[in-house]
Amino acid sequence: MTLTSPPSKVLDPNNDTRKLELKALRLRKRQLKTMDNDDPSEISGKRGRSSWIVLIGLVLFALYSVGPAWWLIVSATKSKEDLYTTDAMWFANFKLFDNLASLFTYQDGIFGTWLWNSLLYAFASSIGHTVVSMAAGYGLAMYAFRGKGTTMGFIIGSFLIPGALLTIPSYLLFVQIGMYDTIWAMIIPAFFSPFAVYLSKVYAEGAVPSELLEAARIDGAGEYRIFFQISSRLMTTAGATIFLLHFVGSWNGFFGPLVYLRGADKWPVMLGLYSWLQRGTDSTVDLTGLVITGSLVATIPMVILMIAMQRYWRSGVAMGSLK
Amino acid sequence: MSLTNTKRKALSISAAVAAIGLLAGCGSASAPAAPAADAGPVTIDVWGWDAESTQHVVDAFNASHDKIKVNYVLQASNTATQTNFRNVMESKKDIPCWIPGIAPISTVLVNGWAQDITKYIEPIKDTYSKGAQAAAQVDGKYYGFPAGPSATFMMANKAVYEKYGLAVPKTWEDFVTTGKELKTHGVTVINLAGEDPSTLLQMSQQAGANWFAIDGDKWKVNLQDDATMKAVDIIQKLVDNDLVAHQTYKDRPALYSYFDSGQLATVPLAWWSMTGYQTNFKASLGQWQAVDVPQFKDAKQFVSSGFADPGFVPVGCEHPAAAVEYINWTSSSKDAIEAGRNKKTGSVGVPTNLADVSAYTADVVPDKIFGAQPAAEVGAVISKAQNAAVGKFERGPNYDAWFPELQDQWGKAMAKQITLKQAMANVQAFIAKDLDSKGIKYEVSK
């Protein structure tokens, strides 16, 4: 009851609730009104137009991005007779299962081996790559030591060397140390990446407060324990990013395996598909259809990985250690 | 990227031959009467990029030979083989004893890659066709194993020729006349892709041209001799009168649909590309007929064209005799050819280097594209072409450098910006400049 209310009126609880209901209704109406695009007011009119333009742009961009993937899906369902002779963006006779069957049986079913190799190389090398980069970046960010500036200089400087330039020297080195034509040539060299070290250094500087480390030291934790139990958890987002970037890179890796591996049984899937594609042009067999189906199958692990790792970025952004 | 980036010593041919002689100095001066295995069982690596039959052939070889064990290393492609071979020659470790053809034999020799295997080839050479023998020699010595080209023959769209009451031309001169007839009906007589000068090379080879020759310690270069000009003249007439199509091989769907449309009368091809055409033709299936490749009017005998890059035994392989024995077995033994038979289709490829391939050609003919023409007849056309292949067409020490230039010049000629004659002069000038820069001795013959 307020002072401004008419004295003759006695407070009536039912009336009060009615008022509240009306108020809520009015509020809802107003909300609906502001959400409505046909609002005749000038400002929202302009906003409507520009949002349409943005929407059209986004739709076009989406089509542009999805187009190749759509083509891949459609083409994977065609027989080789239909591949070149029917509409590229629409289905012909549905032969996906026949294609899959020949994909996994051609050349004694070597495609399965290639997939497995790719998974092994990508997982093993990405895990090592992530652990080494995070530890090195964290060390550079958190400790002061003699030669820190020089080390950082070397790391930044090595960005300038294109990876392809190192292929032949690496090949000769691997031959000398006996790593050539072994799976280790695909895994161990991938542990070391200056860019990933730099990335995790920058992230650690922002995400790991030095007060926390001091507190941990006072509580008697050793440096390794601090890194593995506290700091690495604060750096999950950087770790996930580094892992994913490298995983994708390793999965699509081509030139390394081409030079460092000898026999087809150790090839990853991308190199195998390339060998089929090359064979398609100047021989009696045209393997283009198998390559298309194989490419579709080979993208599936990437899609699964992307979806599975999304949560790391979501929680990573909201995560703070000092609540 | 490969080791070619490291500065390679450019060798003149005589220096190359001398160097190979020194490197491959195989102690024994007396040549064995036949390729015999080196004493004791030896293991050799052979490389290749064929994933379908070679492994079976190697298994069959290992099962039937106890003195030599062959280990097959599968490479991803021709290009990948070149990259990895350059690397292995640099690291000197696990050098293979056999590499299939990755470049013209003279290029292989100038790079210092191939051993002289003349003494092992001489006793067995007659198993192979004259063309195959010629293709494997440089300056009279075998640096490669006899390799036959997949010889050119033609497919003519019979329905088109019959519709307009024309005969399929048998000479290149008639080819132009027939082309003019067909043009009045809106049909092109042949397709010449703007990026692919191979028709010019093949016609020059048929006419008897050799753009490169070895003369003592230097190369003789001549892209403008009478034989080449015969080919140039025919092609120029076809282009000037707009009798040809220019469908590119880069856009396969468009290419196949044009070939299939009845707007193209004749397609030159080799045996291995028949299946691809059958797979991708619809409307014209059964209308095609295999015919001989046209000859030049004044030709003394029937010849067909096609190039082969012979495989070779790399310098640094310690068992050249074993390597030759293996390759000879795979190329000529009935068991080897049986082992290479495709389990699904039941066909074997055409062993193009043999002196007589007539037993194998009918098997590779697909069932629909030639309609009523029996497979045996198509096979006969193919073996006639194979047996009449010239085989040799010397492409000089710097083919990698001049071929792209020829592609450019050919493209300009196809677009009528220059004449083909000018193009040849330009390419020859380019070759001269390139050989100068590499320090290779040559002279341009007039």
Side-chain angles (χ1 to χ4, degrees), chain A residues 62-130:
Chain A
L63 284 174
Y64 174 79
S65 313
V66 172
W70 173 249
W71 175 86
L72 187 68
I73 292 166
V74 166
S75 299
T77 67
K78 291 179 178 178
S79 69
K80 63 179 183 183
E81 284 81 6
D82 287 340
L83 187 60
Y84 289 145
T85 50
T86 55
D87 183 1
M89 297 309 260
W90 199 247
F91 299 93
N93 297 321
F94 193 83
K95 295 276 190 223
L96 177 63
F97 296 108
D98 302 12
N99 289 346
L100 285 171
S102 40
L103 176 70
F104 283 97
T105 52
Y106 181 76
Q107 215 177 310
D108 305 326
I110 200 164
F111 185 78
T113 313
W114 290 340
L115 269 181
W116 166 247
N117 290 343
S118 271
L119 281 170
L120 175 72
Y121 300 157
F123 267 110
S125 68
S126 300
I127 289 166
H129 175 93
T130 311

Side-chain angles (χ1 to χ4, degrees), chain B residues 284-303:
Chain B
S284 67
L285 272 186
Q287 297 178 355
W288 297 88
Q289 189 186 26
V291 294
D292 293 336
V293 65
Q295 303 293 301
F296 286 96
K297 209 164 45 193
D298 50 2
K300 304 261 182 311
Q301 55 178 357
F302 180 87
V303 288

Side-chain angles (χ1 to χ4, degrees), chain A residues 10 59 94 125 138 230:
Chain A
V10 185
V59 166
F94 193 83
S125 68
Y138 168 84
I230 301 168

Side-chain angles (χ1 to χ4, degrees), chain A residues 80-82 84-86 106-107 164-165 167-168 171-172 175 255 258-259 262-264 267 271 274-275 278-279 281-285, chain B residues 1 3 45 47 49 51-52 71 73-77 79-80 83-84 87-88 90-91 93-94 252-253 256 271-272 275 279-280 282:
Chain A
K80 63 179 183 183
E81 284 81 6
D82 287 340
Y84 289 145
T85 50
T86 55
Y106 181 76
Q107 215 177 310
L165 203 66
T167 311
I168 303 301
Y171 160 80
L172 294 171
V175 168
F255 203 70
L258 179 74
V259 175
R262 254 169 46 129
W267 288 350
L271 183 54
Y274 159 84
S275 78
Q278 289 294 307
R279 216 166 284 135
T281 49
D282 60 350
S283 79
T284 49
V285 281
Chain B
M1 204 197 77
L3 291 176
D45 275 358
W47 285 16
W49 57 88
E52 299 204 331
N71 173 32
V73 180
L74 176 64
Q75 300 285 341
S77 69
T79 335
T83 306
N84 288 337
N87 293 350
V88 88
E90 196 72 12
S91 73
K93 195 172 176 296
D94 296 332
R252 295 236 159 208
Y256 287 132
W271 69 269
W272 51 263
T275 317
T279 303
N280 293 288
K282 283 197 162 131

Side-chain angles (χ1 to χ4, degrees), chain B residues 103-127:
Chain B
I105 196 70
S106 45
T107 305
V108 169
L109 179 62
V110 169
N111 288 344
W113 291 342
Q115 291 193 30
D116 176 355
I117 49 174
T118 311
K119 65 180 180 191
Y120 308 116
I121 302 291
E122 278 298 334
I124 53 169
K125 67 179 183 195
D126 290 334
T127 315

Side-chain angles (χ1 to χ4, degrees), chain B residues 267-281:
Chain B
V267 179
L269 75 165
W271 69 269
W272 51 263
S273 53
M274 295 184 291
T275 317
Y277 287 128
Q278 170 160 308
T279 303
N280 293 288
F281 286 179

Side-chain angles (χ1 to χ4, degrees), chain B residues 152-414:
Chain B
T152 306
F153 64 104
M154 289 221 180
M155 292 194 308
N157 191 327
K158 198 76 182 140
V160 171
Y161 278 101
E162 278 170 2
K163 189 173 170 189
Y164 304 116
L166 294 166
V168 180
K170 288 199 166 21
T171 66
W172 285 115
E173 290 76 7
D174 289 349
F175 206 77
V176 177
T177 325
T178 310
K180 287 177 180 165
E181 271 303 315
L182 286 165
K183 192 197 167 186
T184 59
H185 305 290
V187 176
T188 51
V189 67
I190 195 174
N191 180 56
L192 297 174
E195 78 276 3
D196 179 22
S198 60
T199 307
L200 168 68
L201 268 78
Q202 296 200 355
M203 283 172 70
S204 303
Q205 184 190 32
Q206 261 191 299
N210 247 324
W211 293 355
F212 291 84
I214 294 165
D215 179 18
D217 66 344
K218 61 179 180 296
W219 288 95
K220 282 177 112 160
V221 182
N222 190 354
L223 276 63
Q224 297 170 299
D225 61 338
D226 295 346
T228 306
M229 283 307 133
K230 265 197 227 172
V232 164
D233 186 47
I234 299 280
I235 296 173
Q236 193 65 58
K237 280 181 186 154
L238 290 170
V239 172
D240 287 348
N241 293 296
D242 297 319
L243 312 180
V244 291
H246 297 299
Q247 291 286 336
T248 169
Y249 284 88
K250 301 285 173 222
D251 183 358
R252 295 236 159 208
L255 179 95
Y256 287 132
S257 93
Y258 184 82
F259 283 19
D260 192 32
S261 67
Q263 292 169 281
L264 181 74
T266 349
V267 179
L269 75 165
W271 69 269
W272 51 263
S273 53
M274 295 184 291
T275 317
Y277 287 128
Q278 170 160 308
T279 303
N280 293 288
F281 286 179
K282 283 197 162 131
S284 67
L285 272 186
Q287 297 178 355
W288 297 88
Q289 189 186 26
V291 294
D292 293 336
V293 65
Q295 303 293 301
F296 286 96
K297 209 164 45 193
D298 50 2
K300 304 261 182 311
Q301 55 178 357
F302 180 87
V303 288
S304 72
S305 54
F307 307 118
D309 292 333
F312 59 96
V313 178
V315 170
C317 156
E318 290 166 4
H319 309 289
V324 172
E325 180 163 339
Y326 159 75
I327 290 299
N328 185 39
W329 185 84
T330 58
S331 308
S332 59
S333 121
K334 286 261 182 297
D335 297 347
I337 290 165
E338 249 344 280
R341 193 176 284 284
N342 185 314
K343 301 282 176 290
K344 274 209 190 87
T345 62
S347 78
V348 292
V350 175
T352 49
N353 52 0
L354 290 187
D356 182 16
V357 295
S358 52
Y360 304 98
T361 48
D363 280 355
V364 299
V365 179
D367 56 350
K368 294 189 191 71
I369 191 164
F370 296 111
Q373 193 180 23
E377 198 179 299
V378 180
V381 171
I382 299 171
S383 24
K384 182 180 173 184
Q386 287 297 147
N387 297 347
V390 176
K392 187 76 181 166
F393 189 76
E394 189 59 72
R395 282 167 282 166
N398 60 338
Y399 176 69
D400 292 351
W402 66 255
F403 189 73
E405 178 67 16
L406 176 64
Q407 281 181 302
D408 285 355
Q409 297 289 338
W410 165 265
K412 285 180 183 162
M414 289 301 107

